[in-house]
Amino acid sequence: MPEGFRHAPFDDMAALENLITDRTCAILCEPLQGESGVRPLGREYLKAIRDLCDSRKLLLIFDEVQVGMGRTGTLFAYEQFGVTPDIMTSAKALANGLPIGAMLAREEVAVAFDPGSHASTFGGNPIVCAAAVVCVKTMLAEGFLAAVREKGAYLAGCLAEIARRYPTIAQGVRGVGLIQALTLQPAAQVHGPAIINRLFEKGVLLNFAGNSVLRCIPPLVVSKAEIDEFIAVLDKVLGEFVGA
Ligand SMILES: Cc1ncc(COP(=O)(O)O)c(C=O)c1O
């Protein structure tokens, strides 16, 4: 892990403020945490962080590697929360699986970089950049992001129904757009890895994120019929774990 970071507990503004010193230059966070369990930071908290950055003259950096590029139903997740960062990272879906990473910044910040000051051997290679251009154009085409929002709402509704059917296993649903999670009851979390393995055997690839949720991040082109197929498999598999 890069050095120089201090970590603040989730959703604790006082703890975050306490970590700031004269040497603090920026606050970095995901607007919606992916790996640690699909946890949105929330509008109020993000707004408070933005205000803190403004009043203490700090830069706000959003890591949009997982939740950017259409995942939440807008091109960038921060658009859902009404808070704009000074710097933002992007990768993963940016070239739909081909290796690329990017850092975007407001002009006043971006001028700190000259051509070559952030170079890498394969950085900016033409094939991957061509793929990224196609991905961005596809995501910005008429109706694409609206369809992501619609399918995200549909998936969330299906997962909520599953949560109602299996109250001893599932607690509820949380997420934005096509990053949705079925949160597991504390007593059922021990079965998380086994549930994931069982789903995998049946051809469904999910992740047990943050040791507490079943994370669903289907391809943005997923169809409603495929979501139904997934829900039917999930229904069967959770049935196997009732009373386990
Ligand atoms: C939010 C977030 N940031 C950064 C990374 C790491 O990205 P990369 O492998 O492109 O360095 C990941 C990988 O899962 C991620 O989820």
Side-chain angles (χ1 to χ4, degrees):
M1 300 294 274
E3 289 178 7
F5 283 92
R6 294 160 149 224
H7 296 93
F10 188 81
D11 205 11
D12 186 340
M13 206 56 208
L16 180 61
E17 284 194 67
N18 274 337
L19 290 173
I20 295 172
T21 70
D22 294 348
R23 294 178 50 77
T24 306
C25 64
I27 296 177
L28 166 64
C29 61
E30 286 179 275
L32 187 174
Q33 296 186 333
E35 260 357 81
S36 57
V38 187
R39 299 192 297 176
L41 265 59
R43 265 175 179 269
E44 292 309 309
Y45 186 44
L46 286 172
K47 172 84 173 48
I49 296 175
R50 175 73 268 182
D51 290 346
L52 179 66
C53 286
D54 292 343
S55 67
R56 303 290 291 264
K57 296 200 163 27
L58 310 175
L59 294 173
L60 177 59
I61 309 173
F62 279 173
D63 179 340
E64 291 244 3
V65 164
Q66 183 162 152
V67 294
M69 300 316 296
R71 175 56 57 193
T72 64
T74 47
L75 190 60
F76 302 115
Y78 78 80
E79 297 170 66
Q80 306 267 344
F81 301 105
V83 172
T84 308
D86 302 299
I87 301 174
M88 185 179 78
T89 58
S90 183
K92 294 198 193 299
L94 181 56
N96 215 7
L98 288 185
I100 193 169
M103 184 176 70
L104 296 83
R106 284 195 297 107
E107 189 58 27
E108 306 102 274
V109 180
V111 289
F113 284 85
D114 292 322
S117 60
H118 191 55
S120 83
T121 305
F122 298 117
N125 83 77
I127 293 177
V128 174
C129 288
V133 169
V134 173
C135 289
V136 173
K137 281 187 175 161
T138 303
M139 286 175 194
L140 291 178
E142 180 86 37
F144 186 91
L145 292 171
V148 170
R149 292 192 288 275
E150 195 197 319
K151 290 182 290 188
Y154 182 69
L155 174 62
C158 294
L159 288 172
E161 180 55 34
I162 286 281
R164 275 191 291 275
R165 280 170 59 77
Y166 297 100
T168 57
I169 301 178
Q171 210 169 38
V173 185
R174 66 169 176 244
V176 183
L178 278 175
I179 174 164
Q180 294 291 338
L182 192 69
T183 58
L184 298 187
Q185 295 289 2
Q189 288 171 9
V190 65
H191 300 304
I195 295 172
I196 294 295
N197 285 341
R198 195 74 186 106
L199 287 166
F200 182 64
E201 282 166 19
K202 292 181 172 290
V204 175
L205 198 50
L206 250 65
N207 190 308
F208 184 45
N211 285 329
S212 60
V213 307
L214 304 182
R215 183 186 58 182
C216 315
I217 42 174
L220 303 187
V221 294
V222 70
S223 65
K224 281 190 176 169
E226 285 164 335
I227 292 174
D228 289 341
E229 203 179 319
F230 155 59
I231 292 294
V233 173
L234 182 64
D235 194 349
K236 275 209 186 74
V237 167
L238 292 187
E240 294 173 19
F241 285 85
V242 171

